[in-house]
Amino acid sequence: MQRLPAGAAAASPPKGQADRSKMTPGARAWNLMFEILRASKPFMETVAGEFDLTPQQLYALRNLSTERAVTMSEFATLLGCDASNVTAVADRLEARGLCERRSAASDRRVKALVLTPAGIELYGRVAERMQQPPPAIDNLSVADQNELGDLLERALNSL
Amino acid sequence: MQRLPAGAAAASPPKGQADRSKMTPGARAWNLMFEILRASKPFMETVAGEFDLTPQQLYALRNLSTERAVTMSEFATLLGCDASNVTAVADRLEARGLCERRSAASDRRVKALVLTPAGIELYGRVAERMQQPPPAIDNLSVADQNELGDLLERALNSL
DNA sequence: TATTGTTATACTCTATAACTATA
DNA sequence: TATAGTTATAGAGTATAACAATA
């Protein structure tokens, strides 16, 4: 292992992140969005932890409906991961008593997830807690939050 | 396992996601930002895969400077994870020949990461590739991208 | 034969706690 | 004693491939 000159670590700017002044407008917006997400990670972990869930489990719970069953393959699509994966995700939620598998009468290969009463109750508490956004968003004025929402809605609807 | 009535899965709206019409402006903006990130996951995996990296490894590479060494503890802060974790992250980048550890002359406990020539070369190619944002952002007009960037910059700078 | 979901397997990412070597 | 980094360990999340049950 080579040596580093003494004091070399303090020679340049304090952060190692990318220089946004050289980016295209789209790349700049994307980079900022990504950095806000990274900065909000502790917030997300804290919120999920309040319900004794991991961030992924909280997201999974939010993707189960209170009104209809979600098949395993639909669940995989909603979560954006492989079908082999959602088995374990569903297992962990089921072990917590938040949802259960039901087999479909029309096709006995299909299994669907429905929230249990405990799952519905937790879903509601989570939804209420999610009214509070992380600091980066919360610090904006309501006018800015609305404008941001409009722009992001346009972006999401363009897909 | 209980039975699900035939056809029940088609009774309600097609998606299981949260209803944004009942959210506060901040919660709505946050939810939309999060959904755009989820939708952009395949894009991020594809881009990282083009360089034979995982998304996390690509982000780690982007947080190494081309101009100064980054200590392991700084690296942990930049990546937002525990110090015990960055050892393995650095190991994998080092195994790829992208960076190497140097011991600081001033304090021999400290180890810092510097990019190798191969790491600097890949860093540059990654930075160029990152000029292309994911579809959700790319589909916006340049005016919208700039406005979005300004709002997000305000949000990030508020932290 | 094709499809739905599961299991087996393996790797990345993550944290906690114990450890080494410096300071 | 305290700090920087590592190692040991464990668990969540992820994908690929092989498998069972059903269609």
Side-chain angles (χ1 to χ4, degrees), chain B residues 60-81:
Chain B
L61 180 73
R62 294 273 285 171
N63 276 279
L64 292 178
S65 172
T66 53
E67 294 168 6
R68 59 180 271 274
V70 177
T71 68
M72 296 303 280
S73 59
E74 284 171 345
F75 202 39
T77 301
L78 288 166
L79 266 42
C81 66

Side-chain angles (χ1 to χ4, degrees), chain B residues 5-69:
Chain B
S12 285
K15 296 245 169 180
Q17 273 107 349
D19 181 0
R20 277 188 286 271
S21 68
K22 292 172 186 163
M23 294 182 186
T24 63
R28 169 179 168 251
W30 172 242
N31 180 269
L32 284 160
M33 193 180 299
F34 196 85
E35 286 304 328
I36 288 171
L37 253 291
R38 293 298 292 205
S40 301
K41 224 176 70 168
F43 171 86
M44 293 189 276
E45 281 161 359
T46 298
V47 171
E50 289 171 12
F51 301 100
D52 202 22
L53 296 168
T54 67
Q56 294 292 339
Q57 287 166 352
L58 188 145
Y59 186 75
L61 180 73
R62 294 273 285 171
N63 276 279
L64 292 178
S65 172
T66 53
E67 294 168 6
R68 59 180 271 274

Side-chain angles (χ1 to χ4, degrees), chain A residues 1 15 19 30 49 55 59-60 62 69 74 77 95-96 98 108 112 121 133 140 146:
Chain A
M1 186 163 64
K15 297 245 170 176
D19 181 0
W30 173 241
Y59 186 76
R62 293 273 286 171
E74 284 171 345
T77 302
R96 282 282 303 275
L98 301 173
R108 281 163 52 208
E121 191 269 341
L140 291 175
N146 280 317

